[in-house]
Amino acid sequence: MRDVAIIGVSQSKFGELWNISFRDLIAEAGLKAIKDADIEGADLEAMYVGNMTAGLFVQQEHIASLISDHVGLTPIPCSRVEAACASGALALRSGIMAVASGYHDIVISAGVEKMTDVVDPTPAIATASDQEWEAQQGVTFPSLYAMMARRHMHEYGTTREQLAMFSVLDHKNGAKNPLAQYPMEITVDQVLGSSMVADPLRLLDCSPVTDGAAAVVLCPAEDARKYTDTPVYVKASAQASGTLALHDRLDITTIDSTVHAVRTAYKMANLQPKDIQGVEVHDCFSISGLIAIEDLGFVEKGQAGPALEDGITEIGGTIPVNPSGGLKSRGHPLGATGIAQTAEIVWQLRQEAGKRQIDGIETGMTHNIGGTGGTAAVHIFSN
Ligand code: COA
């Protein structure tokens, strides 16, 4: 197996993007990453695109062909990768495995979702849950995560205010990210006063509905300095599966697929939680942010609430979480999220994150899950 490096990254502005089509959105992100890597499109040997459900959001399937055709890169092979909200991380992992194995040299891994062109995105998002046991009974993602939140509060005494503090953290960082969908600071009181979505989760506990795309260019580590002075190296790429439905789990306050994936990732990288100096976690709802920092080993089970109160998750704390603003403030275009998380950690490691820079960061992590954790992927990077 060869070591793999990232030599170029990009992220589109996230938000409600009325003025750009699905195909132009992903083309723009791809072209920016290619430019950042200082290569030509024709240098690519393969393309992997994470996307959850273009068929429902923009009535377009076979998007791999659409994209390679639209960007003028036929006959380079292009593949779509789908694992609900973890589609982006799996597209990244597909690219990493292609380069590591020696099958391809230079590849691009991207992600895209255009969610705002439908009147009600909720039924499309709900297809990532168990249709027979969850979605058809009227259960939606906010309500699934609401059950996880209630149980976490019951088991560990997590308070409503502590949940809100995760959103406050995200927005504090996201306010410094010009590509974020909601780049404004918020307060705990604003979260507690926002409209109820699924008790106990309110509007400002929820990631938004987002259009966006992101891309990264990968090559063998030994070649990386031919293209850039600031390569970022992939130290671990790990993935695990979990049960699709929530009711099949022994404990709904932890996401087993995350625990398995991160254990593999730490082993691959020969690192421990204390070695990670910045992490982008999958906080589709405030509760999933708290559960993530516990499952990734940064705090003991049940201790995420007190950790948020102590401020260790702030930029400048011992484990800075979501410097980009996370899914809550940067936005969550399902298939693009895992790639956008990667772009953020690459910018951090290249010391290019501007006002949200984590000082002296040398090792960073991304954590991307699909659904309520039916799929989880963890990546570790260093400069
Ligand atoms: N954070 C901050 N502001 C938000 C927001 C969010 N998550 N979602 C919407 N808003 C704002 C809008 O900009 C709008 O503001 P305006 O009145 O000033 O224009 C207002 O709140 C109402 O927006 P609207 O689009 O009508 O909200 P909605 O009630 O239709 O949707 C949610 C809100 C939370 C239900 C929706 O964002 C949602 O479903 N989020 C979860 C997405 C999801 O499940 N993703 C997958 C996770 S696994």
Side-chain angles (χ1 to χ4, degrees), residues 1 4 19 50 56 87 102-103 117 153 179 181 217 229 266 275 310 342 355 362 372 375:
M1 295 277 267
V4 179
N19 57 347
L56 294 174
S87 301
Y103 210 96
D117 291 357
M153 294 164 96
L179 298 176
Q181 180 170 5
V217 178
D229 294 334
Y266 285 134
D275 301 315
D310 289 347
T342 308
K355 291 182 182 160
E362 291 178 350
T372 52
T375 303

Side-chain angles (χ1 to χ4, degrees), residues 157-167 290 304-306 308-309:
T158 302
T159 64
R160 210 6 299 207
E161 287 74 13
Q162 288 170 340
L163 290 176
M165 289 175 82
F166 202 95
S167 299
L290 274 83
L308 285 161
E309 284 178 350

Side-chain angles (χ1 to χ4, degrees), residues 83 86 89-90 93 238-242 255-262 367-370 373-378:
L90 266 55
R93 203 169 133 72
Q239 176 189 342
S241 305
I255 293 182
D256 283 344
S257 55
T258 296
V259 175
H260 286 291
V262 81
H367 162 250
N368 191 199
I369 62 172
T375 303
V378 174

